[in-house]
Amino acid sequence: MAIHLLPNRWILETRNSGYAFGLNDAGLLAHSYWGQRLAYASDYPAPPSPAMWAAFNGPAHLTPEEYPGYGGTKYIEPCLKVTFADGVRDVVLKFIAAEAAGQDDMQLQVHLEDEHYPLRVTLHYRAHEAYDLIERWVSIQNKGHEPVTLERVWSAQWHLPYGDHYWLTHLTGRWLDEMHLRHEPLVQGVKVLESRRLTTSHHHSPWFAVDDGTADEDQGAVWYGTLAWSGNWKTAAEVTDFMSTRVNIGINDFDFAWTLKAGETFVTPASFGGYTSAGFGAASRALHDFIRERILPNGDRPRKILYNSWEATYFDVDEPSQIQLAQIAAQMGVELFVMDDGWFHRRNLDNAGLGDWWPDAAKFPHGLKPLIEAVNRLGMDFGLWIEPEMVNPDSELYRLHPDWVIHFPTRARTEARGQLILNLARREVQDYLIAQLDRLLTENAISFIKWDMNRNVSEPGWADAPGDPRELWVRYVYGLYHVWETLRQRHPHVIWQSCSGGGGRADLGILRLADQIWVSDNTYSTSRLSIQEGFSSIFPANTMEAWVTDADPQIGSPESLRFRFHVSMCGALGIGGHLIRWSEAERAEAASLIAQYKTIRHVVQSGDLYRLRSAQKHALSALQYVSKDRSESVVFCFRTMMPQPAQLPRLYLRGLEPAACYQDAATGETRSGSAWMHVGLELTLGNFDSQIIHLRRTEN
Ligand code: GLA
């Protein structure tokens, strides 16, 4: 049983973890435990009832509340801040009732209500037993007749065991340079990470991991969490002056307000929190499994090897050039041909056309059909790039509806990449996009869509908003989800990619709609090694779209085609180079690497990931995938620049059956799993050299 209900105490258990809270003596809903699963329900500590410490720090401040509202003498970060119709800005939540429901994924609901105002706050919990994850979200219901203004409504406050010094691991980055892992001590005060950009952003990810500074990839207690939301978000990790550590996560309250009218309910996005005693590796494997099996719409479907024409033809697309690329791609074994930007009405550069989603008559006089049929005849599926949320001022759409963009009437509309953002909070914008894109997908045999978003917000105004214009931040995301969801339902065979100038929109919210993510516009393989590693903290390899592109002669990229392929083969392999310029020898080598990828794809895309040596820390890096039944494993090793003479450390594998025998497919060498793991491997790699080792279990 995943949920225990004791009198006024609740315990959620997963396979290895336990989470407990209850009503304390003061009637506050207090957190009491998150960690290793305990033997008996009676083992879980009672909710704490801290005593008064001083006039300045009373019990309300000292209690680790599950979901504190702003009010009274709580000076910590609250999860909920409201203003009632009469101007009162103080929430006093009282416990009303709790109930559990469901079978496999048991759900617990705890109802609280303000003691004076008819505002109901329901805390929802779901224990995902097999993944050691607790899901939390909150619904706020206005049961009265007057509106209530919500100014902050976070999804969860996650409490760490009291009184220790913790370290926070998180991701930072920027365009072309996403997903750097940072590991820093948490000290008294609040560490805030957030997006104010309307979307998830390249800069930080709504993900955290906390440990006591001693955990590593393979061992140690790690508490971690994430948020399924693709708009403005915030994490606020607070250490109080009484050494209580908690991480808040939710929709960003910066510039946020929501008018909750009589009878309405606001539901927050879900936050998922996990505990493991087995280090950062186990934490990400749990998230990978969960994302593949519970979040992704087609998590078990192998990702096709795609070719994308962007870096070859840029905006200069037409039927002959695309067919020429498609012919070469097909010969190399590519399965999906994707035409990128430049195909639609008057789109010759980035300064025109966005919004007009029909084929350009000069480039495609007979529409897209002839190209699609040619691609299909070559044995490949056809995919297309779109950027639905955007409009160029130089477009038919903007000329008709200049008021559809996000803007303030008294301010200049700041363009970025020559474009403005359509206000997807507006119903007519949603309807326009659904109609245009539905037609495109209905009239053409399109199997794959790359959904891009190439700028962030400015002047976030919504002049004729039906409610508070600051609802834009959330209603835009609802609108985006609605458009995408509607198209998915109408065209269920289509596979979708989330791109925002690379990894600007990577989160568990978008992965309910998108099958894979374009990780970065930076396709240099050495940069990719570390970007992909950061990405793997959260996301599984089948969502990690990775293209092989041309080495850049300007920066004298020393990586061979093989090295570049090996880096991309760590995820969902794609190719983005200018194939027409590839020599016969390069095309033949690419064909054999693609063939090799087809033999390991199932292990990479659905296996367990072990990061053996970090690419963000070391010039010699390695990662390993192990199939779920442990019958196969694929090891990737990369050496970038190391001064000579270089002494390469031995590489110790992980995750194999100790007593089973595994054979190296290339050399025939057979050893037990324990020997591969504990004797390890000696590598002989030169600078910018790489190696794949494919092990298969044999009869002992
Ligand atoms: C963004 C994407 C690229 C490409 C271009 C097209 O930058 O990240 O992959 O699609 O847009 O304009």
Side-chain angles (χ1 to χ4, degrees), residues 246-360:
R246 60 283 295 272
V247 185
N248 298 279
I249 193 163
I251 289 173
N252 202 341
D253 56 328
F254 176 81
D255 196 36
F256 165 80
W258 187 278
T259 308
L260 196 64
K261 298 198 197 92
E264 286 182 350
T265 301
F266 182 90
V267 182
T268 72
S271 173
F272 300 92
Y275 166 81
T276 176
S277 59
F280 294 99
S284 48
R285 283 189 292 280
L287 274 179
H288 294 174
D289 286 345
F290 182 71
I291 290 171
R292 268 190 298 244
E293 292 165 24
R294 294 300 172 94
I295 299 283
L296 288 171
N298 302 298
D300 55 350
R301 226 195 264 175
R303 295 336 191 211
K304 292 196 167 161
I305 299 163
L306 66 78
Y307 175 75
N308 180 297
S309 62
W310 172 242
E311 293 193 21
T313 43
Y314 291 104
F315 298 98
D316 205 6
V317 297
D318 59 15
E319 217 177 283
S321 72
Q322 298 303 295
I323 291 178
Q324 200 186 354
L325 287 164
Q327 282 162 342
I328 306 169
Q331 279 162 17
M332 293 184 345
V334 167
E335 300 158 321
L336 165 65
F337 180 87
V338 183
M339 178 162 64
D340 210 279
D341 199 349
W343 60 270
F344 47 97
H345 185 55
R346 295 191 51 245
R347 180 71 164 175
N348 298 315
L349 272 179
D350 64 10
N351 59 359
L354 290 171
D356 301 343
W357 298 111
W358 55 91
D360 183 71

Side-chain angles (χ1 to χ4, degrees), residues 175 310 315 340-341 347 385 417 450 452 454 499-502 518 521 547:
W175 178 62
W310 172 242
F315 298 98
D340 210 279
D341 199 349
R347 180 71 164 175
W385 178 96
R417 213 191 188 215
K450 171 175 173 179
D452 210 339
N454 275 315
C499 172
S500 177
W518 179 227
D521 277 352
W547 310 343

Side-chain angles (χ1 to χ4, degrees), residues 93-143:
L93 297 176
K94 296 280 176 212
F95 173 74
I96 301 292
E99 76 255 349
Q103 277 295 317
D104 294 343
D105 287 334
M106 286 273 284
Q107 255 200 59
L108 171 67
Q109 297 184 1
V110 180
H111 305 286
L112 310 170
E113 245 174 60
D114 188 88
E115 69 172 10
H116 178 81
Y117 297 92
L119 187 73
R120 174 167 281 219
V121 175
T122 302
L123 312 187
H124 302 261
Y125 294 82
R126 193 184 276 146
H128 294 281
E129 199 166 357
Y131 309 93
D132 288 327
L133 288 171
I134 307 287
E135 177 178 356
R136 293 181 61 180
W137 73 101
V138 176
S139 52
I140 315 281
Q141 189 192 0
N142 182 356
K143 296 169 73 180

